[in-house]
């Protein structure tokens, strides 16, 4: 799955026109060719450019400039109904323990007073790809591994590819109208904003997109912004694609929330969960009912909890349910994402069982701890 990568190697192979050097996270003062699978270097003493060839074993090379990068070799290809081959990109923040120099990320959303970015792309014809700007968030100040929330801004889409999930509507941000998609890749939730036509450059507020995702109930102000990235997801072809310039700035001085007002403390949550299970020798079913005990409507929900050892979800209904180890994430279906005060939303699933059965003991909804009904 996308960017489910092992920790970056201690060194990456960097090839330049005049020498061959071994380095990872070095500084690019002149053009630098990176062909190492997860090789990276820094530019402007502020950003990291990464090859990030995670979806293919074929060679991919990028030429890193002082302001961005260009794809110079791309031998792999992927079916258009699956994942792309890679995500060569430039980023500010932290990605799989690789943090850009002097970054102030991760930073709690409530503490951000402004977050702005500028990006310029160069496109090619005859290839299948998207030009994607990624914004990553997590409930914890995470500097490694997979974050729980990915915001994707598709500035250009070429070929028969589509974002994860399904269309949930449109919205106006950065002076444009975007088609909004929502789904999960099995490891993290994804909300995508798709431009109706190609955008070659954009100067915008990253915080506006974060706030829109928060207003959809996918995150809360207590979550952390961990990185912002701009690059390409190629499926077929793509030599010549380039990020010609990139800048990003995240400023603190917002309104720290301790605890965040959108996350009531334990025992005073704005949600209650009723968990009803039926088990047999090697399996079980569970019906889960969520009640909105607050005074405002819930527009989109994500329920998080842990299953006891020996329990594995096999199929679900009325929600998208994913499991990683014991951790379970259940996200609303298109028909039950809105829950009025006093209202309920329900879903269920079936699973396999090894050993004796017991039910989960604690639940959180959109970051808020729920009481048991």
């Amino acid at each position: 799955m996308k960017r489910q990568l092992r920790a970056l190697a201690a060194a990456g192979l960097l090839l330049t026109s005049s020498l061959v050097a071994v380095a990872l996270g070095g500084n690019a003062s002149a053009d630098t060719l990176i062909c190492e699978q997860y090789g990276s270097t820094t530019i402007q003493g502020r950003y990291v450019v990464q090859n990030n060839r995670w979806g293919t074993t074929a060679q991919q090379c990028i030429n890193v400039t002082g302001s961005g990068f260009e794809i110079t070799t791309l031998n792999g290809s992927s079916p258009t109904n699956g994942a792309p081959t890679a995500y060569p990109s430039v980023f500010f923040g932290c990605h799989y323990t690789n943090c850009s120099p002097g970054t102030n990320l991760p930073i709690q959303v409530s503490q951000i007073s402004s977050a702005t970015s500028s990006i310029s792309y160069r496109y090619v014809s005859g290839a299948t790809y998207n030009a994607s700007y990624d914004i990553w968030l997590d409930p914890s100040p995470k500097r490694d591994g997979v974050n729980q929330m990915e915001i994707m801004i598709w500035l250009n889409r070429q070929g028969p590819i589509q974002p994860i999930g399904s269309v949930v509507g449109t919205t106006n941000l950065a002076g444009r109208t975007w088609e909004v998609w929502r789904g999960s890749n099995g490891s993290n939730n994804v909300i995508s904003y798709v431009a109706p036509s190609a955008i070659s450059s954009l100067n915008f507020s990253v915080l506006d997109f974060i706030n829109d995702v928060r207003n959809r109930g996918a995150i809360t102000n207590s979550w952390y912004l961990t990185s912002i990235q701009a690059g390409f997801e190629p499926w077929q072809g793509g030599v010549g694609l380039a990020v010609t310039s990139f800048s990003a700035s995240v400023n603190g001085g917002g309104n720290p929330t301790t605890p965040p007002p959108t996350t009531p403390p334990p025992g005073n949550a704005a949600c209650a969960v009723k968990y009803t299970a039926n088990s047999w020798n090697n399996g079980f079913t569970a019906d889960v009912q969520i009640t909105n005990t607050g005074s405002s409507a819930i527009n989109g929900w994500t329920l998080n909890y842990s299953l006891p050892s020996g329990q594995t979800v096999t199929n679900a209904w009325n929600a998208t349910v994913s499991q990683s180890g014991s951790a379970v994430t259940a996200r609303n279906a298109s028909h039950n994402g809105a829950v009025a005060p006093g209202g309920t939303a329900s879903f269920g699933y079936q699973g396999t069982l090894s050993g004796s059965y017991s039910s989960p003991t604690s639940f959180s909804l959109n970051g808020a701890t729920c009481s048991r009904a």
Side-chain angles (χ1 to χ4, degrees), residues 192-205:
S192 302
Y193 299 84
V194 182
S197 59
I199 299 172
S200 59
S201 63
L202 189 67
N203 190 341
F204 69 105
S205 169

Side-chain angles (χ1 to χ4, degrees), residues 70-71 121-129 156 158 232 236-242:
E70 177 185 356
I71 300 175
Y121 288 99
R122 186 174 71 241
Y123 300 132
V124 299
S125 59
T128 299
Y129 65 91
N156 190 4
Q158 296 297 316
F232 298 95
Q236 298 168 5
V239 170
L241 291 170

Side-chain angles (χ1 to χ4, degrees), residues 216-306:
R216 294 173 187 275
I219 64 168
T220 70
N221 278 338
S222 66
W223 282 48
Y224 291 81
L225 171 64
T226 63
S227 71
I228 48 182
Q229 312 179 358
F232 298 95
E233 289 185 323
W235 271 260
Q236 298 168 5
V239 170
L241 291 170
V243 170
T244 57
S245 68
F246 172 82
S247 67
S249 178
V250 179
N251 298 308
N255 298 309
T257 51
T258 310
T262 55
T263 307
N268 188 31
C271 52
V273 174
K274 182 179 180 181
Y275 192 94
T276 306
N278 178 39
S279 64
W280 55 94
N281 288 342
N282 57 358
F284 71 99
T285 59
D287 291 312
V288 186
Q289 183 183 79
I290 302 167
T291 300
N292 180 1
T293 60
S295 58
S296 59
I298 296 172
N299 294 304
W301 50 263
T302 300
L303 186 71
N304 296 101
Y305 55 96
S306 294

